[in-house]
Amino acid sequence: MSSTPPPKRGYHHGDLRAELVREGIALLAETGVAGFSVAKVAVRAGVSSAAPYRHFPDREALLAACAAGIIADLTEVSIAAAERAGPDPVERLAATAGAYAGYVLAHRAGLDLLYGHDFSGRHRQTIHEQSRRLLDTLMALAADVLPPDTSWAETTDFVYAHVAIAHGYATLHTRPPRDVDVLTVRAVAVARDHITGHLMRPR
Amino acid sequence: MSSTPPPKRGYHHGDLRAELVREGIALLAETGVAGFSVAKVAVRAGVSSAAPYRHFPDREALLAACAAGIIADLTEVSIAAAERAGPDPVERLAATAGAYAGYVLAHRAGLDLLYGHDFSGRHRQTIHEQSRRLLDTLMALAADVLPPDTSWAETTDFVYAHVAIAHGYATLHTRPPRDVDVLTVRAVAVARDHITGHLMRPR
DNA sequence: GTCTATATTCGGATAGAC
DNA sequence: GTCTATCCGAATATAGAC
């Protein structure tokens, strides 16, 4: 999850900053950005509505921290899924679609924040950096699947399409909530179809 | 767009109900559900903040009407795209992905409403009915692509995957806004890869 | 560093004039 | 059918006590 660079622990709470991010992500999962408020997060964390402002200058900063935490989580589950998938490059890449979809399904609408919210300036930069690790991970897996002479641009397009499939498959099915395991398996199957079809393209 | 069954025109405004839905969709496109409010829609339509409540009992009803309008629009552009694509069944189906993605890209975050908002009871029913026409359209196009002995269940899964690809591809690219035409073409290509790969599955 | 106010703004919804 | 005026609740953010 999100790191806590400055160790600003102190009073009777272990690490409020980290807990606010945790609760913020949970609230986003339940209500989406529309239902998000600093006050609600504070209540969930068991502190007053003013407490969060000691750790975040304003509402946007807390939102951005939650977004960064979500991306970090996505990266973790994607890496873990590829590891579990075994040696076949196609299966390794396809597995990340399942992991991605599974996380989104578990966190329902929480993703409208990442792709629907308009972060400004400084926060956008932070989130972009967090996204980098996820992208690097998928690019490496994709390189193992595509022909050796594939250009960087084509690999990038391919990875974006892969993420889009996982993302779209999950978000379309978040309401009403269905069985996560079944949907995860299907997301992997769709990703596999995409990979297979792409490799059939005339070159 | 959304129909206006009871012709409740009268005063110095042509058809306020329809205009509220239009402006509501436009506002959703700009701000997502998070920034939506009845008051803002009223201002955009040039009426007082109380006026909308003559046409919609509450905020949720206006939101639901906007959602129904968006789905109706999606259905229109999908049908038109298939018509323009010519006789090849694969191209006809793939084209609907481009139309869907193009509409979503043009309306940015407006789709978090459809798939992220929790409509309750009666409104959910209305929206489900609106979705039906879109689903029927795509099912027919999919039936022309898949082998004749394909089960209804498999066709349904296939159509959902198709929509998910178009939806995911568009939503991932809405921020920052890029060239719509380029992305539409790519969405079609990705959908084509999915169709091709699916037809390669061992049966 | 967290608390208890509190100032302020905004949005949902209603009442009553026209 | 629309307006003005108003009430109420919720949320952001700040001030000052501890």
Side-chain angles (χ1 to χ4, degrees), chain B residues 48 50 54-55:
Chain B
S48 77
R54 282 293 130 181
H55 300 273

Side-chain angles (χ1 to χ4, degrees), chain A residues 134-157:
Chain A
L134 177 58
L135 193 60
D136 286 346
T137 302
L138 296 175
M139 286 290 283
L141 291 167
D144 290 339
V145 166
L146 299 173
D149 60 329
T150 306
S151 69
W152 180 84
E154 186 181 335
T155 306
T156 302
D157 289 348

Side-chain angles (χ1 to χ4, degrees), chain A residues 161 165 194 201, chain B residues 165 169 185-195:
Chain A
I165 287 169
H194 168 245
R201 275 192 192 180
Chain B
I165 287 169
Y169 200 84
V185 170
R186 286 198 197 156
V188 174
V190 174
R192 201 184 288 121
D193 283 348
H194 168 245
I195 298 169

Side-chain angles (χ1 to χ4, degrees), chain B residues 43-63:
Chain B
V43 170
R44 292 177 75 113
V47 295
S48 77
S49 63
Y53 290 93
R54 282 293 130 181
H55 300 273
F56 302 95
D58 54 21
R59 172 198 148 103
E60 281 296 296
L62 176 54
L63 264 181

